[in-house]
Amino acid sequence: MIRSAETFARAAHAGQFRKGAARLPYDTHLAEVADFVTRHGGDPAAIAAAWLHDTVEDTAVTEAELEAKFGAEVTALVRELTDDKTLPKAERKRLQVLNAPKKSPRAALIKLGDKTSNIRSLSLNPPDWPEARKAAYVAWAAEVVAALPPLPEAALAEFRAALALHGKA
């Protein structure tokens, strides 16, 4: 299931790139999140969902397609992590903070991996954003993570290390 999710996610995100100057293929982010979830005790459904967490939000893939291919359990995790793109960006960000405490333990771990990868990328492969925008993203990501249900200490330590890269430990 994990290999199938990886292959599916890489194909779904083909041609997409990270926002940084290096224009890394987007699937590098998915690999980082899946690796994070694996290293911090995620089960196969969580690891598969880590690969797939942005497919519904950022590609033409539907929840129905995910459910047909990966089942209800993985699809439910992806659903927990998917923003409603019909809402304005500010509202989506507000809802991430508001909904963070309600995440299942597996979705919370994936969300932490996602934020860790994104913060690390801001420092190691920064986008062409003003410093104020980068700082605002870091502050918001930290707010989302602080609102998540309890997570493994080693996973939280990795997030704090990513914050330290950005000078926000």
Side-chain angles (χ1 to χ4, degrees), residues 20-113:
R23 288 189 39 88
L24 296 173
Y26 191 79
D27 62 7
T28 59
H29 167 66
L30 305 174
E32 287 175 6
V33 177
D35 179 64
F36 181 95
V37 171
T38 301
R39 287 184 290 103
H40 295 293
D43 66 7
I47 298 164
W51 276 106
L52 300 165
H53 77 275
D54 282 335
T55 54
V56 173
E57 190 173 313
D58 294 339
T59 76
V61 172
T62 66
E63 285 184 17
E65 287 177 84
L66 286 184
E67 189 153 353
K69 185 144 181 78
F70 300 102
E73 183 179 26
V74 170
T75 304
L77 286 168
V78 173
R79 186 179 304 113
E80 273 192 82
L81 299 160
T82 300
D83 288 346
D84 180 350
K85 289 288 208 113
T86 66
L87 298 174
K89 186 175 184 175
E91 179 64 4
R92 292 192 314 262
K93 290 179 84 165
R94 185 186 78 78
L95 287 172
Q96 278 201 36
V97 175
L98 186 68
N99 292 326
K102 303 171 200 161
K103 297 289 180 220
S104 67
R106 293 185 295 179
L109 183 62
I110 297 164
K111 178 65 79 175
L112 179 60

Side-chain angles (χ1 to χ4, degrees), residues 116-127:
T116 301
S117 173
N118 288 343
I119 296 294
R120 198 178 286 135
S121 184
L122 273 180
S123 296
L124 302 177
N125 181 32

